[in-house]
Amino acid sequence: MTRMSMMGCLLAVGIAGCGSVPERRSGWIQPVEAVQAANDDPVFGIRGRFALTVRGIGTQDDRTYLNSERDYRHQTNLTIAMPTTVADQVAARLQLPLADLRNRRLLVDGQARRVRIAFVESDGRRSGGYYYQTHVTVRDPAQIMFAD
């Protein structure tokens, strides 16, 4: 293969790879885009309107989490994090129990940022290991609405 044809192949592969970047519909930021942007700028992340289908719901202490993936540790997961009191207000505003948000498409206004999550041993001590999640923090129930 000549150098010119090799460069052409690399260019073609590069262009083809661009087609896999998620497209924005109506200016909405998809979870994969949010995670990528938060990784690219870990201090500020990305601000906008995020579109996600709720695949998982969890609570820990006084926080409630809506996740775009069934496994909240998945690298493309976008987590909507809020105090449980705000989650109760969101449920009232949407006129639906939070558990019924599973498989529903939501729009969330806010800022997606990378958050460091420490691994914790069964006795409550930190193991020293960690991973990152991408969170949009919700403080006002008006930040969340149905996409439909």
Side-chain angles (χ1 to χ4, degrees), residues 76-119:
T76 62
N77 180 62
L78 179 62
T79 296
I80 309 305
M82 64 194 111
T84 301
T85 54
V86 173
D88 294 340
Q89 294 169 359
V90 167
R93 183 173 181 275
L94 299 177
Q95 300 178 347
L96 202 63
L98 280 180
D100 290 348
L101 290 180
R102 192 177 313 276
N103 298 318
R104 297 294 301 263
R105 190 136 172 92
L106 300 178
L107 298 177
V108 182
D109 292 326
Q111 186 168 4
R113 288 187 168 153
R114 192 168 81 160
V115 176
R116 183 175 162 159
I117 307 295
F119 288 119

Side-chain angles (χ1 to χ4, degrees), residues 5 9 13 17 20 28 42 46 67 73 79-80 97 99 107 120 123-124 137 143 148:
S5 64
C9 286
V13 169
S20 65
W28 302 338
I46 185 171
N67 297 299
R73 292 182 188 103
T79 296
I80 309 305
L107 298 177
V120 179
D123 63 2
T137 300
Q143 287 177 254
D148 307 328

